[in-house]
Amino acid sequence: MRIVLAILCVVLFGVVAVTASGSAPLAAAPVLPPRYTPMPAVATTSPDIGDRSARTYVRLWGMFALPIEGADIPQDPELLPGAPRDYRGGIHEGIDFPAPTGTPVLAAASGTVARVDVSFLDWNREQQDIALYEAITLGYTPAATLDRIRGRQVWIDHGKGLITRYAHLSAVEPLIVGQRIEAGALVGEVGSSGYPQGGPHLHFEVRLGDDFYGDGLSGDLLVRAVSRLFR
Ligand SMILES: [Zn+2]
């Protein structure tokens, strides 16, 4: 009798086990948290940037006078092109010269005035917050936002797609777009317009068409390339 019961138990157990495994519902797929928006592959460099940069960059060596008389040429990577700017989800495109508000800013080379923000209205903190939030969400800085961050500006066109930009100015000279300007002429004064949180400094930017000088360089090569710009 015991043997019969034992066999019965084993058979029953087997049936139950097979039934259970056969009818077990599929485990629900785990719910993953939403992923952050990845930074898009912004085409800041082209495949031939190495050769093109080298040729173009060397052509500019010694071309500029310092835009602030007696200033040290920045070497801190944070002040140079390519430095990350996490507060706006982007990268730095110029050379920063820290200096007190009101310090004279000079044309780094002769050229033609391409932009001068004579009547300039800075954005307020709320507008800035909204734009920076959007930039961080996007993972890059929209061009219009970047322009507002640069604040009051003067641009000088040196021909052949070469333009220098002087940004965050507290004041500008009464220049006129299209007028000739000589190297060393006063263009404005150092300030912190557009992004007061950065403190007073001159953001000096060298544009080569759509690109900026220093793009594609890093480390010692970048430091040397920036130093070589100035005579
Ligand atoms: Zn800057």
Side-chain angles (χ1 to χ4, degrees), residues 2-227:
R2 278 183 190 171
I3 293 170
V4 172
L5 272 176
I7 291 171
L8 200 61
C9 281
V10 167
V11 170
L12 271 175
F13 179 78
V15 169
V16 169
V18 167
T19 308
S21 66
S23 65
L26 290 171
V31 178
L32 299 172
R35 297 189 61 186
Y36 64 92
T37 306
M39 189 166 170
V42 178
T44 54
T45 58
S46 60
D48 65 338
I49 190 74
D51 290 341
R52 186 164 61 84
S53 297
R55 284 200 304 273
T56 310
Y57 290 175
V58 169
R59 179 170 68 84
L60 300 183
W61 286 1
M63 178 165 178
F64 297 113
L66 284 167
I68 292 178
E69 195 175 4
D72 292 327
I73 299 172
Q75 300 207 336
D76 180 349
E78 273 298 297
L79 304 176
L80 299 181
R85 290 293 187 257
D86 294 339
Y87 73 91
R88 57 176 173 84
I91 60 168
H92 193 224
E93 299 185 358
I95 303 162
D96 286 345
F97 290 86
T101 298
T103 302
V105 173
L106 314 173
S110 300
T112 306
V113 175
R115 168 173 170 173
V116 52
D117 295 343
V118 176
S119 47
F120 172 80
L121 184 65
D122 214 342
W123 55 356
N124 62 38
R125 186 58 191 260
E126 188 187 354
Q127 292 168 320
Q128 191 198 73
D129 284 348
I130 292 168
L132 294 183
Y133 178 80
E134 183 202 29
I136 290 168
T137 306
L138 289 169
Y140 65 93
T141 319
T145 297
L146 194 50
D147 190 65
R148 300 236 57 180
I149 289 170
R150 291 188 181 106
R152 184 187 277 108
Q153 303 172 60
V154 171
W155 296 5
I156 299 176
D157 188 340
H158 307 284
K160 297 181 179 175
L162 179 65
I163 287 180
T164 50
R165 295 177 176 177
Y166 309 77
H168 301 309
L169 302 175
S170 60
V172 294
E173 285 296 289
L175 304 167
I176 298 168
V177 171
Q179 85 171 72
R180 173 87 185 161
I181 187 164
E182 299 302 322
L186 185 65
V187 300
E189 297 175 7
V190 169
S192 56
S193 56
Y195 191 66
Q197 300 93 317
H201 68 277
L202 171 67
H203 171 96
F204 176 72
E205 199 168 301
V206 178
R207 306 297 304 191
L208 301 153
D210 291 335
D211 206 359
F212 58 91
Y213 184 87
D215 190 11
L217 301 181
S218 61
D220 287 347
L221 204 58
L222 174 64
V223 171
R224 272 183 285 157
V226 167
S227 298

